[in-house]
Amino acid sequence: MKEKSASAEERKKMVELQIIKRGIKDKKVLEAMNRVPRHLFVPEEMRDLAYSDEPLPIGEGQTISQPFIVAYMTEALKLSGGEKVLEIGTGSGYQTAILAEIVHEVYTVELLSVLSERAQEILKELGYKNIKFLIGDGSRGWPEYAPYDAILVSAAPATVPRALIEQLKINGRMIIPVGTDFQELVLVTRKKDSWLEERLIGVRFVPLITIH
Ligand code: SAH
């Protein structure tokens, strides 16, 4: 019990100092960040740093994103609650949990089975029933359940993958880091026969691996 309330306290501080102070306003995002126990998604030896203002290693050369970036990307999708969302790069499963708190259904794709399996275990233990997992190459999306209201990608390709744009509903949104040496978060809005791209902030993500 003691540990539980200590982590709730740390989360509250994280949300106030790292998220609200930097301009995130979406109530749904703030509530989700207050609820999800981030410390359960980082390796045990990193637990002390779970609520700090930085990305952390999660094994296999991958990282769990900085809390602010998770909040920023989620807010950019302007979710209202009924959506079906595709996530590429399950990683630790933390961003997956944030999405699952807010929307109706989350479809999440991870290339590395070790990471996907670990995330599945934690997310099931936490009781989420609205998440479907796929192990595979997310640069092709997950066509079986398309189209999606929104797509969140947490690994960076050199250019926006066409397959992902095609799996968005008309007026659907995708937030994705794009670039190699220099990366930016790009917000893509799908239109009927075209799409809009808006460049937001500079970021650093692991590369989206493409399998040929
Ligand atoms: N949102 C995650 C971020 C993990 S880092 C978190 O906060 O924990 C990005 C993840 O994308 C890594 O787990 C990496 O293995 C995965 N990845 C890289 N290329 C991929 C691809 N082509 N398809 C699916 N996942 C991919």
Side-chain angles (χ1 to χ4, degrees):
M1 275 313 274
K2 203 169 155 208
E3 198 177 303
K4 218 175 178 182
S5 59
S7 81
E9 204 46 52
E10 281 194 86
R11 271 198 295 288
K12 214 172 135 212
K13 250 197 237 154
M14 171 190 84
V15 170
E16 272 163 23
L17 302 177
Q18 301 175 35
I19 317 271
I20 298 175
K21 243 193 176 162
R22 291 193 184 122
I24 304 296
K25 292 190 177 69
D26 188 322
K27 284 248 163 58
K28 290 191 168 69
V29 175
L30 299 175
E31 275 168 27
M33 304 271 312
N34 254 318
R35 272 198 302 267
V36 177
R38 183 172 162 93
H39 60 284
L40 300 183
F41 294 86
V42 307
E44 226 154 276
E45 64 276 15
M46 295 262 156
R47 292 265 154 101
D48 286 356
L49 294 172
Y51 296 98
S52 63
D53 193 12
E54 60 195 330
L56 296 170
I58 54 171
E60 312 299 314
Q62 306 303 329
T63 53
I64 175 172
S65 305
Q66 179 191 8
F68 172 70
I69 293 295
V70 172
Y72 185 90
M73 291 177 79
T74 313
E75 183 176 68
L77 295 177
K78 293 204 162 72
L79 302 166
S80 60
E83 292 91 351
K84 181 165 120 184
V85 178
L86 175 66
E87 179 193 35
I88 308 300
T90 316
S92 66
Y94 176 69
Q95 171 77 71
T96 321
I98 297 292
L99 290 169
E101 288 278 344
I102 300 173
V103 303
H104 185 57
E105 284 177 307
V106 182
Y107 293 82
T108 185
V109 186
E110 170 59 52
L111 190 62
L112 305 176
S113 56
V114 194
L115 293 180
S116 179
E117 279 155 16
R118 195 190 304 150
Q120 291 187 39
E121 214 172 282
I122 300 165
L123 291 164
K124 274 176 194 153
E125 216 165 280
L126 289 172
Y128 293 102
K129 298 204 164 54
N130 57 343
I131 306 170
K132 283 202 167 64
F133 300 87
L134 178 69
I135 297 171
D137 178 9
S139 63
R140 296 156 199 264
W142 192 346
E144 202 182 335
Y145 295 100
Y148 302 94
D149 297 291
I151 302 179
L152 188 153
V153 185
S154 55
T159 57
V160 180
R162 264 303 178 96
L164 296 182
I165 300 174
E166 283 161 8
Q167 288 172 37
L168 271 178
K169 286 186 191 166
I170 311 287
N171 294 321
R173 294 161 162 264
M174 166 161 65
I175 183 87
I176 178 168
V178 181
T180 46
D181 297 337
F182 174 73
Q183 301 171 357
E184 277 175 319
L185 277 181
V186 177
L187 183 66
V188 179
T189 309
R190 163 95 198 257
K191 298 291 169 192
K192 193 160 174 278
D193 302 308
S194 64
W195 69 91
L196 294 175
E197 287 187 18
E198 233 177 290
R199 287 145 179 268
L200 304 175
I201 54 171
V203 284
R204 277 194 73 177
F205 276 81
V206 297
L208 184 80
I209 295 156
T210 24
I211 296 164
H212 296 286

